[in-house]
Amino acid sequence: MADYDHIIVGAGSAGCVLAEALSRDPATRVLVLEAGGHDDWIWFRIPVGYLFAIGNPRADWMFRTAAEPGLNGRSLGYPRGRVIGGSSAINAMVYMRGQAADYDHWRQLGLPGWGWDDVLPVFRAQEDFFAGADAAHGAGGPLRVEPPRVTWPVLDIWRKAAAEAGIPPVDDFNRGDNEGAGYFHVTQKRGTRVSAAGAFLKPALARPNLTLETGCLVDRVAVEGGRATAVHWLQGRSRRSARARGQIVLAAGALGSVQVLLRSGIGPGAALQRLGIPVARDLPGVGQNLQDHLQLRMIYKVTGARTLNETYWNLFRRAWMGIDYALFRRGPLTMAPSQLGAFARSGPDADRADLEFHIQPLSLDRFGEPLHRFPAITTSVCNLRPVSRGQVAITSPDPAAPPEIAPNYLSAPEDRRIAAASLRLARRIAAQPAMARLKPVEYLPGQQVGDDDESLARAAGDIGTTIFHPVGTAKMGTASDPMAVVDARLRVYGVAGLRVADASVMPTITSGNTNAPTMMIAAKAAAMILEDARR
């Protein structure tokens, strides 16, 4: 059993940041265990590769949710990255911090060090912003952030219609208040994807004190006398172990970290006993508090404007897309899933933007399936701060068994009300004068769906799907919170030497895409670990 100063479980977005930061001291030995493989597939680098990676077992864990009552009994695919870089290798590349009020709320929950003023310097330090440094952005950091390298007039028309509906244009969503419509900034560098592995992990692997092991299915963390001391994992046909002198940090995400905790005997005691797992620490909150953004993918057929649908099915244009990318690193192959975004309020009672739109110059039934053959745009909208809460559980001590995922979408009446309001707002934008030239025809959910709350909420259940933002399953909270799993310094309650540092610690979901907040959390965790080591 080898000894390390720190062991990191997971080389996803959080794990890559942790690995780079904790290995800066050459006297510190760091081990990173990743269940997936290396990112040596071309579609991990070409931005549009998400179309081929999601739903492909080479890149995706291929999880599924339980049948969801709020989605009218449907089960959803639940993509998670199966590669170094984790989901940052297959995600939308959208760089989105959320709203200042999200983090100020965390601080108000009794979590010092997590307000907007606390986290903004961390975001800035990680960032290499294309326009240079200012009060909100950083330059020279490892994570490159750029504007899109392709434009679509059909998106500009939608943005103008949004302005006519009361959603003003904005240039930057990352200054603390993201209300408005504009183009997303993306984690790309000159037309290629910048994953967390590319930005943080790979440069650090040149250090002899940092060891990366792939294909490692972590079984459990050993807890001896109330302290996490070692990690046991499967690698191929071998069972392996390593001991940690310092910290063991779980960074396997809102699904993976929970599974490791539960197999280690850390979680709801009665549930663990039913599975025959000895209880090391009874923490009822492990696996609870799952939050996700449910996107409602409305599709409009359009006329008189180019979309990716007909471009893709034209063999000459498809060939030109490849040439344009090979020569200039521009064009549709550089596309994130969504180029244009908008943040809006669901109604006059909302004190800040609580809806996010992702507007795409394309349409398809679901990711991994072919584009439609007719010109169309997708107007995807999600409730940024859902009230519904779900859970993640294990059904077996076997580390190869998939988790049981039950997001409980639309289980709260308030979420159903906001879902109806969001679809109604999307329809109002489509009806604005600017859109008239496109002659939009609602293809999904369809013009036959009424405009009342009940009809629209039922339609939301029919068309809703994950936007890939699971968080909250090992929530950060005060000692008085019976459902808290970690404290404000991300230490697991009652287990010394063990931390969780990924999206699972969010007490409430951020108001936007969650990859940038996850990397921020990991950077703060690393700083805390180093601070504690110096004491």
Side-chain angles (χ1 to χ4, degrees):
M1 184 182 290
D3 286 351
Y4 293 86
D5 293 287
H6 304 300
I7 300 175
I8 300 165
V9 177
S13 298
C16 291
V17 173
L18 286 158
E20 190 282 324
L22 294 179
S23 64
R24 290 175 193 168
D25 180 354
T28 301
R29 294 186 69 209
V30 180
L31 171 65
V32 184
L33 302 172
E34 167 56 37
H38 287 278
D39 58 347
D40 51 1
W41 188 30
I42 189 172
W43 293 118
F44 290 135
R45 293 188 292 277
I46 298 176
V48 81
Y50 70 91
L51 285 171
F52 308 101
I54 291 176
N56 186 323
R58 178 173 182 172
D60 181 358
W61 281 104
M62 307 286 287
F63 294 138
R64 294 199 68 85
T65 70
E68 285 284 292
L71 302 185
N72 304 325
R74 292 185 298 126
S75 168
L76 300 180
Y78 218 66
R80 295 284 87 195
R82 190 174 187 169
V83 62
I84 60 169
S87 294
S88 75
I90 66 172
N91 72 353
M93 296 162 284
V94 172
Y95 183 77
M96 181 65 59
R97 297 168 177 172
Q99 298 168 1
D102 299 332
Y103 303 99
D104 290 341
H105 175 61
W106 292 3
R107 184 176 57 197
Q108 291 157 10
L109 291 174
L111 302 169
W114 291 97
W116 176 250
D117 291 342
D118 301 306
V119 303
L120 180 58
V122 184
F123 282 121
R124 293 185 71 251
Q126 290 184 325
E127 189 181 23
D128 184 19
F129 191 58
F130 72 97
D134 61 17
H137 289 285
L143 188 68
R144 181 66 176 174
V145 177
E146 295 186 347
R149 295 172 69 89
V150 61
T151 59
W152 296 88
V154 69
L155 299 182
D156 295 322
I157 293 171
W158 191 95
R159 190 184 188 195
K160 184 176 180 182
E164 292 172 342
I167 305 171
V170 294
D171 294 326
D172 188 351
F173 289 130
N174 287 302
R175 294 182 175 273
D177 178 6
N178 52 20
E179 189 165 3
Y183 284 88
F184 289 122
H185 294 150
V186 291
T187 50
Q188 293 183 11
K189 185 173 184 179
R190 294 191 292 274
T192 59
R193 175 188 289 270
V194 176
S195 71
F200 298 95
L201 179 62
K202 288 183 177 180
L205 285 174
R207 301 168 183 166
N209 61 320
L210 177 61
T211 301
L212 169 68
E213 296 278 0
T214 58
C216 302
L217 196 57
V218 170
D219 182 7
R220 61 187 176 88
V221 173
V223 180
E224 302 171 7
R227 181 176 184 85
T229 57
V231 179
H232 302 276
W233 71 92
L234 307 177
Q235 192 171 17
R237 297 179 179 271
S238 302
R239 289 187 173 272
R240 300 184 62 190
S241 302
R243 186 173 293 275
R245 291 185 290 262
Q247 295 285 295
I248 295 171
V249 190
L250 302 185
L255 306 184
S257 290
V258 165
Q259 294 176 76
V260 174
L261 285 170
L262 293 172
R263 289 195 296 268
S264 305
I266 302 168
L272 294 174
Q273 288 173 341
R274 285 194 295 270
L275 294 173
I277 298 174
V279 179
R281 177 68 181 182
D282 187 356
L283 283 179
V286 174
Q288 303 301 305
N289 193 47
L290 173 62
Q291 300 157 61
D292 189 13
H293 290 142
L294 180 72
Q295 63 171 333
L296 309 179
R297 296 179 60 251
M298 300 185 74
I299 294 174
Y300 285 90
K301 292 182 176 181
V302 296
T303 302
R306 183 172 59 92
T307 74
L308 186 60
N309 287 10
E310 68 275 17
T311 300
Y312 175 81
W313 289 109
N314 182 295
L315 294 180
F316 174 78
R317 289 178 177 175
R318 193 189 306 182
W320 173 247
M321 286 193 297
I323 295 170
D324 199 19
Y325 184 80
L327 294 179
F328 307 110
R329 291 294 188 267
R330 68 185 184 192
L333 292 187
T334 69
M335 283 174 55
S338 302
Q339 292 75 57
L340 187 72
F343 292 81
R345 305 184 192 210
S346 60
D349 56 333
D351 61 350
R352 54 191 170 107
D354 60 345
L355 301 178
E356 180 180 9
F357 286 87
H358 288 76
I359 313 304
Q360 304 162 330
L362 56 87
S363 66
L364 66 172
D365 290 330
R366 60 185 61 85
F367 288 114
E369 295 195 3
L371 299 177
H372 292 143
R373 290 183 175 269
F374 49 79
I377 62 171
T378 298
T379 302
S380 175
V381 60
C382 68
N383 177 1
L384 288 171
R385 293 183 292 278
V387 178
S388 302
R389 296 290 185 269
Q391 56 275 330
V392 176
I394 60 173
T395 59
S396 165
D398 180 0
E404 185 177 78
I405 307 165
N408 291 334
Y409 295 119
L410 300 177
S411 58
E414 176 68 2
D415 291 349
R416 294 177 64 82
R417 183 188 69 80
I418 291 180
S422 67
L423 293 176
R424 198 174 291 117
L425 175 57
R427 283 179 165 179
R428 183 156 63 88
I429 295 169
Q432 295 302 312
M435 290 287 287
R437 59 176 285 191
L438 298 180
K439 301 177 183 176
V441 175
E442 186 179 307
Y443 173 78
L444 196 71
Q447 295 173 314
Q448 76 282 358
V449 175
D451 217 39
D452 59 284
D453 276 5
E454 182 178 351
S455 298
L456 289 174
R458 186 167 56 251
D462 289 334
I463 67 173
T465 188
T466 177
I467 205 166
F468 323 128
H469 298 164
V471 308
T473 50
K475 69 175 288 194
M476 177 170 40
T478 63
S480 61
D481 181 352
M483 300 304 288
V485 177
V486 300
D487 65 13
R489 296 185 70 79
L490 306 184
R491 298 171 296 200
V492 174
Y493 277 109
V495 184
L498 181 62
R499 277 179 160 95
V500 182
D502 54 32
S504 61
V505 306
M506 294 186 190
T508 52
I509 195 167
T510 53
S511 299
N513 307 67
T514 54
N515 191 239
T518 298
M519 291 186 283
M520 177 276 293
I521 288 168
K524 281 186 65 69
M528 292 171 182
I529 291 168
L530 295 173
E531 286 170 8
D532 290 351
R534 289 193 292 268
R535 291 175 180 171

